[in-house]
Every structure is written in structure tokens, then in C-alpha cells.
Amino acid sequence: KQEVTQIPAALSVPEGENLVLNCSFTDSAIYNLQWFRQDPGKGLTSLLLIQSSQREQTSGRLNASLDKSSGRSTLYIAASQPGDSATYLCAVSSSYGKLTFGQGTILTVHP
Amino acid sequence: GAGVSQSPSNKVTEKGKDVELRCDPISGHTALYWYRQRLGQGLEFLIYFQGNSAPDKSGLPSDRFSAERTGGSVSTLTIQRTQQEDSAVYLCAFGGGGDYNEQFFGPGTRLTVL
């Protein structure tokens, strides 16, 4: 059974700092990995999708890497802003696109 | 989410009552997924619909849970004889249905069973 773990569970940083969120998964037989952002009372917003054949994806200040063989992914956020405060979720896709989620990292960026 | 809507946004019900949660799709996506997120826990897969194929119900926690998708569009998740442990945020998502496709989530329905 696939298990996804995210570290740290919570992170508080001052504005402007670069930071890294970690995700690990136990079964490397995945099709893709997605990073999501969840704001309180709202649904999930897809940030980045990395296919299993890819090593990284970039969008603006976000960069996600994938090491499928070791079962690890990182989300790098550059020059963090208070608006980045949210819960960040990592999810891996198995057959039919079913996602298995980690517990999330709660990020707080203070001015 | 990318145009996915869910209703109601919040639902409070008494233990033992039945509830229906609705998910309205965005066009062009054939696959629909239901997940739930209980307090302090990660999202759990519930059920998957793809076109006219038989749904994958492997994530439904009990036979009190059922879902249908009419005409390949709107989906309804029904929970019969609700229990307090059913309290959660229920999220639906749409995707292209293939193994490699991205999923887009609705805002969710927060269900509270008293």
C-alpha cells in the first residue's frame, strides 16, 4: 500500500526566505506526482505536476523535483511571501490517476 | 478549483440522517473522483468514475456510502444513516482520466454530523 509522508508538518519563516518542503513515498511505481496548495475553507489548487519520467518542474517562484527511484520529491519556494501561507500537499498518482496524499505541511510566512 | 463547483458548501446533519453531496463538472474532463478529508488526516480516495465504465468503488469506507454520475456529468455522493465519524470535508476532482493526467479540485463540502 502506498504511503506518502511530508516533512516538516509545520514551518514558520520570515518573509523573503527560501524554503524547501519534503515529500517521500514508499512505492516508486507512480505515474506522476502533484503538489497542491490548500487555503482554509477552500479546495485544492494544483501547483505543479511532475510526470514519472521527469526530474523537475518550475512555475514562477516554485520548483519541484522528483527522484522516483528513491521515492522523494521536494518543493522549493523562493523569496517567500505572506501570501504563500497555506497548507501544501503532495500526492502521487497510481492507476486511473487515483491520488494518495501526504498529511501536508502547514506553512506560515510572517512579514 | 478550475471551475468545479460543489454543493452545499456546508452541511450539518443529525446522526442517522441521510445526506446527498453534489459535484458539478467542468466540460472536457471525463474522469471524476471523490475524496474526503477528516480533521487532522490526509485526503482519502473514495470513488472514481471514467466515462461509461464501471466505477472504482474501492475507497468507499462502508456500504452506507454510494455515488452516481448521471450522463457523464453531475455526480452525487450519498451517505446513508450518517455517523459522527463521517464528519469531514468531501472533495470532488476532475481529470482527463488517464494515468498521467492532472486533477482539478472543487471547493469541497464540509459535513458535520452531530
Side-chain angles (χ1 to χ4, degrees):
Chain A
K1 178 186 174 185
Q2 178 75 269
E3 292 183 1
V4 180
T5 303
Q6 290 187 245
I7 295 173
L11 182 63
S12 181
V13 300
E15 181 176 5
E17 199 161 290
N18 302 325
L19 56 97
V20 175
L21 307 182
N22 297 290
C23 172
S24 61
F25 46 95
T26 55
D27 185 351
S28 63
I30 64 169
Y31 289 96
N32 62 46
L33 183 146
Q34 276 187 261
W35 282 94
F36 294 90
R37 168 186 175 137
Q38 185 173 33
D39 294 281
K42 297 186 179 180
L44 277 64
T45 301
S46 180
L47 297 174
L48 288 165
L49 171 73
I50 311 177
Q51 301 290 1
S52 58
S53 59
Q54 297 176 321
R55 297 285 291 183
E56 67 177 334
Q57 282 287 335
T58 298
S59 176
R61 295 183 292 108
L62 305 180
N63 176 278
S65 66
L66 173 64
D67 184 341
K68 184 180 170 184
S69 60
S70 68
R72 296 179 187 276
S73 175
T74 61
L75 178 66
Y76 175 83
I77 302 178
S80 58
Q81 303 171 357
D84 294 332
S85 298
T87 298
Y88 289 80
L89 296 167
C90 163
V92 295
S93 170
S94 62
S95 60
Y96 313 133
K98 285 190 298 185
L99 295 176
T100 302
F101 284 84
Q103 298 268 19
T105 294
I106 301 172
L107 173 65
T108 303
V109 181
H110 46 88
Chain B
V4 182
S5 63
Q6 292 187 245
S7 60
S9 56
N10 281 283
K11 176 72 176 179
V12 179
T13 190
E14 294 180 348
K15 178 181 173 181
K17 300 285 189 182
D18 298 351
V19 296
E20 283 191 355
L21 312 179
R22 178 184 170 108
C23 176
D24 281 281
I26 51 177
S27 61
H29 290 78
T30 60
L32 182 152
Y33 309 81
W34 281 97
Y35 295 86
R36 76 173 175 182
Q37 185 176 32
R38 290 186 284 186
L39 186 64
Q41 300 186 25
L43 277 83
E44 307 167 77
F45 165 79
L46 296 177
I47 189 168
Y48 159 74
F49 295 91
Q50 172 64 51
N52 295 320
S53 302
D56 177 350
K57 305 178 182 180
S58 60
L60 294 179
S62 78
D63 58 8
R64 296 186 294 104
F65 287 70
S66 63
E68 63 177 18
R69 189 180 186 192
T70 54
S73 56
V74 173
S75 178
T76 302
L77 177 69
T78 300
I79 308 173
Q80 296 178 309
R81 305 180 303 281
T82 52
Q83 303 293 313
Q84 289 182 332
E85 63 262 28
D86 299 335
S87 296
V89 176
Y90 289 82
L91 294 150
C92 75
F94 283 86
D99 295 331
Y100 297 91
N101 289 310
E102 191 172 6
Q103 291 185 32
F104 301 95
F105 281 75
T109 293
R110 180 174 297 278
L111 174 67
T112 303
V113 182
L114 302 177

